[in-house]
Amino acid sequence: IRGGLIKLAEYMAMGIIPIVPPNSWPAEHIKHGINGFIAKIEEYSDILNKLNKEQIYEMSKEARIYAINNFDIRNVAKRLINYLSENGY
């Protein structure tokens, strides 16, 4: 994924299954084989050719759930408020 965290969040929110390179910042948001893939470019076609419709549906759903829980501003704001209140701010 090129374009930064906003693109990753947008794609996942739309249910697009991300494939990101290993040792990259987006990899910290990917649970390999659950909500996306962490792979080298030369592995992309093998990964995509092995997926069936059910796997695509489930991974798409998991990507969207992850995006909502981790990138939606309302959820981020709630976590920030909780963090601040728990730490005396």
Side-chain angles (χ1 to χ4, degrees):
I1 291 179
R2 293 185 180 167
L5 185 58
I6 291 173
K7 287 292 179 198
L8 179 68
E10 289 173 342
Y11 293 151
M12 292 179 83
M14 290 185 288
I16 297 172
I17 301 166
I19 303 175
V20 301
N23 303 318
S24 65
W25 64 263
E28 71 186 58
H29 297 284
I30 305 302
K31 297 176 188 168
H32 184 77
I34 305 293
N35 66 352
F37 293 102
I38 300 169
K40 297 176 184 172
I41 291 174
E42 57 269 13
E43 299 170 318
Y44 287 13
S45 61
D46 285 341
I47 289 170
L48 296 174
N49 289 327
K50 292 178 183 176
L51 290 174
N52 62 43
K53 287 182 182 181
E54 184 177 318
Q55 290 170 312
I56 292 169
Y57 174 79
E58 287 300 318
M59 289 184 74
S60 175
K61 185 173 74 172
E62 289 297 324
R64 182 156 167 66
I65 290 168
Y66 185 89
I68 290 168
N69 290 337
N70 292 280
F71 301 129
D72 183 279
I73 190 66
R74 292 167 292 213
N75 292 331
V76 172
K78 284 179 193 174
R79 286 197 312 269
L80 178 60
I81 291 167
N82 287 340
Y83 174 82
L84 292 174
S85 66
E86 290 170 1
N87 290 287
Y89 293 101

